[in-house]
Structures are given as C-alpha cells and as structure tokens.
Amino acid sequence: MEKGKISALQMGILMYHAILATGILFIPASVFEAAKQDLWISPILASPLGVLSIYIAYRLNKLYPEATIMQYSEHILGTFLGKVLGLVLLILLVTSLSVMFWQYGEFVVSEFLPHTPKVVIIGMMLLLCAFALHGGLEVISRLSGMVFPVFFFLFLVIIILLLPDVDMKRMLPVMENGWMPALKGSWVLYTWFAQFGIVYFFLPFLTDRQKGMKFGMLSVFVVTLTLVVTNLIVIWVFGDVTANFNAPLMSASRYISIAEFLSHLESLVMALWIAGTFIKLCAFYYIVVLGTAQWLNLSSYRLLILPMGFLVGVFAMQAFLNSAEAAEHFEVVSRGVMDTLVYGVAIPVFLLCAAYIRTTFFKRKGASKK
C-alpha cells in the first residue's frame, strides 16, 4: 500500500512540524491562563507525555514491525474488535484534522484575508495537501525536511529581533504559588504532546527502524525547547497582558522596529506558521487516508485522497460558528479528557497491554501442551 521509505531523522522532523506548527502561535495564551508567569515551565512538565507516547508506539512496533496500529489492532483483539477500535480511532483523527483545517482557515481570514471566503482558504490548502499526498510519505517527509531549516531560521530571526523589547523581570516571581499553576498549564499542553502517538503510522516505513526511538525522543526534546523559548519571549515582552492576545507571538512581531526600517514583521511570522501548518496538515491528512484504506482493506490509499479531503473540508466548515464558540469548546475540552489523549496515549497503551497479555497467554498455553 505504501511502498515509500523514510529515515528516522525524517520522521523526527515530520513529527516536529506535526506537533508544533499550529501551537507555536496559540499555546502561550492558552497556557498563560493557567500558569501565569510560570508558563515557560509547563512544556517541561508536559514533555514526559510525549516521551511516553513515543515509547509505547515503539514497543508496539517492535512486536509488529511491518504493521501500523490499524493492522495490529486486528491481530491483537481479533477482526471484529480490531475493526471497532480502528473505527473509533479514525473518527477521532478525522475530527482532529477537521478542527485543524478550521483553525487554519479562521486564523488566515481573521488576520490577513478578511474579505476572502473561508471555504476558499480551506479548499486551497486541502488541494495543496492532496497533491502532496499523491506523492506518498517520501514526498511529505522531503517537504518537511525542506521546510524545517526555513521554519527554524525564521523563528530564530523573530526571537533575536524581539530581544530589545524584553524585560526579564516580567517573569518574576518564579513559582510564586508553587508547582500547581505550572502543572495546570502542562495539562493544557497534553493535547499537543499526546499527538506524538501518531508516530505509530510512520515507524513501519523507516529504513533504520532501530533509530526510531532515538529520533522520536529527540523530536520531543526540540519541541519542548522551542515551546520554552517561545513562552519565555512572550512573557518577557507582554508580562501580565499575555492573555489579552489570541496569538501572542504574532502580536509581539508587530512591535519589532529597527531604525524605522525593519518593522511590521507579522508577515514573517505568518509565513513561518503557514509553512509548518502545511506539513502538519499533510501528516494528519496522510494518516487519516492511510488508516481508512487499511481499515477497508484496500490495495491503495490514493483513491481515498480526494473523497476524504472533501469530507474533511465539509466537517471543517461546520466545526464552529465563530471563534467565540471555538474558544469555549477548547476551554471545556482542555479541562477534561482530550481526543488526542485517547488516540495518542490511551488506545496504544490498551493495545500494548492486550498484546503482552495475549503473548503471555499463548506462551503458557504452548508450554502446558509440551
């Protein structure tokens, strides 16, 4: 079905974009509501969930090296229960992907193209992602590798240009109310770090599978470091008013002015965000299409790219009426069990436990027969 192969390094870079792209603008404001000036600590406290997600996916891959989660779930649970679990997984992934497309369309329309219909913005991105998906996993990974240095360079440029406006005193006092605010902020971040679990769709296609864990963990570390730096810069620039901005890093870039020559660099931040978001949408679009094809036992996933894109586009347009409804939804979800925790952590943990129970049972059964 997927004949392409990628390296563990390419997988790590792809996961970096798949986790961080949409969050780099919105995470600081979301975490600040819970953690206040300690928002920079929250990514460090949330990162073990990413480590756990990578470890579980890797252990499952060691048991079933040539299969994705859609395939080995049937082997572990049986065909019927495996199909049921696969359907639940697909519904959660399609929902997440639809919300991601809605967030992309809403932000572009509200910030840069207010007179352009959202359906056009989302539709153009869907077509672009569909074109990339036709090339397969190798093409998506190479695109990710091309975008990464540009993404990182632009990020560093923005951080450096913001340094004249920082005031480190705005992050004080550190842990004024103990660990609890930072822990509450880390709970908000779980929805991003749990997404590392989707690596179970990429591990079977690695050329150097033994390095999968290493580069997966490295990806978690770099994502954590990026979020810590972003949150520090935001709190140093805005301090207590961080919560007033929906996308603090974007707002901060508008304050950049060097000799009245270099200013209004929000377009640079937008370019950075769109480049990363494109890779993230491609990655999730790919796993949805691949997972659906494997669930239906099709020989190729490419036949599903356009139909699934149309379905996701329709769901994305109907996801929320406006930003206020979306903000209320995300606030409610962040306090409960998030869908990303289910498909990124809960389902893989359940399958790993079931796989070990199944293996132990058959070993004992075989030993008793002897």
Side-chain angles (χ1 to χ4, degrees):
M1 183 175 289
E2 173 58 72
K3 298 186 178 1
K5 294 288 184 179
I6 62 174
S7 68
L9 174 61
Q10 288 177 314
M11 182 205 73
I13 294 173
L14 183 60
M15 291 305 301
Y16 176 85
H17 288 299
I19 306 308
L20 191 66
T22 54
I24 196 169
L25 293 187
F26 308 117
I27 281 176
S30 301
V31 178
F32 181 82
E33 292 182 9
K36 302 305 178 186
Q37 70 270 20
D38 294 329
L39 77 165
W40 62 276
I41 303 174
S42 295
I44 300 171
L45 299 179
S47 60
L49 186 70
V51 172
L52 177 65
S53 300
I54 295 289
Y55 176 76
I56 294 167
Y58 183 76
R59 295 305 305 172
L60 283 167
N61 182 253
K62 291 286 283 184
L63 293 172
Y64 306 97
E66 302 297 329
T68 69
I69 191 170
M70 301 300 293
Q71 295 168 319
Y72 55 64
S73 61
E74 293 184 32
H75 185 271
I76 295 170
L77 302 176
T79 303
F80 177 74
L81 290 178
K83 290 290 186 185
V84 171
L85 188 67
L87 180 61
V88 171
L89 184 62
L90 286 174
I91 291 172
L92 292 172
L93 288 170
V94 169
T95 302
S96 285
L97 181 59
S98 301
V99 170
M100 290 172 199
F101 270 105
W102 181 90
Q103 286 178 311
Y104 166 76
E106 179 68 17
F107 190 72
V108 171
V109 169
S110 62
E111 293 289 334
F112 284 90
L113 300 172
H115 302 296
T116 304
K118 192 186 298 182
V119 65
V120 174
I121 302 296
I122 292 176
M124 292 299 291
M125 180 57 84
L126 267 169
L127 287 175
L128 187 61
C129 291
F131 183 74
L133 257 65
H134 267 286
L137 183 59
E138 280 189 26
V139 170
I140 298 171
S141 298
R142 287 174 184 172
L143 284 171
S144 179
M146 291 170 60
V147 167
F148 179 75
V150 178
F151 182 94
F152 219 76
F153 173 75
L154 292 179
F155 175 74
L156 290 176
V157 168
I158 294 297
I159 296 302
I160 292 169
L161 293 178
L162 281 171
L163 289 179
D165 298 309
V166 307
D167 182 359
M168 294 185 182
K169 293 180 180 178
R170 293 184 178 127
M171 68 182 287
L172 300 177
V174 176
M175 291 195 292
E176 180 183 16
N177 299 308
W179 287 97
M180 191 52 64
L183 285 169
K184 289 180 179 178
S186 69
W187 179 259
V188 177
L189 285 169
Y190 285 161
T191 188
W192 275 276
F193 279 97
Q195 290 177 355
F196 272 106
I198 67 168
V199 75
Y200 44 57
F201 277 102
F202 303 126
L203 288 172
F205 306 113
L206 297 187
T207 54
D208 47 354
R209 204 171 294 150
Q210 70 280 2
K211 295 181 181 179
M213 171 96 83
K214 171 185 171 182
F215 282 100
M217 297 301 180
L218 183 61
S219 184
V220 175
F221 172 76
V222 179
V223 165
T224 304
L225 182 62
T226 305
L227 287 176
V228 169
V229 172
T230 302
N231 288 353
L232 279 173
I233 286 293
V234 166
I235 196 66
W236 286 345
V237 172
F238 290 123
D240 292 337
V241 299
T242 299
N244 296 338
F245 302 97
N246 181 39
L249 189 62
M250 174 73 74
S251 301
S253 66
R254 295 187 171 119
Y255 287 85
I256 295 174
S257 181
I258 299 177
E260 297 183 359
F261 169 72
L262 194 62
S263 60
H264 300 291
L265 295 183
E266 60 268 23
S267 57
L268 199 62
V269 178
M270 194 64 177
L272 177 151
W273 182 74
I274 288 179
T277 299
F278 167 67
I279 301 300
K280 174 165 189 165
L281 293 174
C282 281
F284 274 84
Y285 193 174
Y286 172 80
I287 65 175
V288 164
V289 172
L290 178 67
T292 304
Q294 291 177 338
W295 190 77
L296 295 172
N297 296 323
L298 300 179
S299 59
S300 174
Y301 65 85
R302 288 177 174 82
L303 297 173
L304 297 175
I305 292 176
L306 289 179
M308 188 59 69
F310 177 78
L311 184 66
V312 168
V314 171
F315 286 164
M317 290 303 300
Q318 303 298 321
F320 305 105
L321 293 176
N322 49 50
S323 298
E325 183 182 335
E328 183 179 348
H329 167 78
F330 292 131
E331 184 177 355
V332 171
V333 169
S334 66
R335 294 174 181 171
V337 178
M338 310 158 198
D339 55 347
T340 54
L341 282 174
V342 176
Y343 68 72
V345 180
I347 290 178
V349 166
F350 169 71
L351 286 175
L352 184 61
C353 293
Y356 276 117
I357 291 171
R358 177 188 174 92
T359 304
T360 304
F361 173 77
F362 279 113
K363 278 184 180 179
R364 288 181 178 176
K365 191 175 180 180
S368 64
K369 285 184 179 180
K370 290 179 181 180

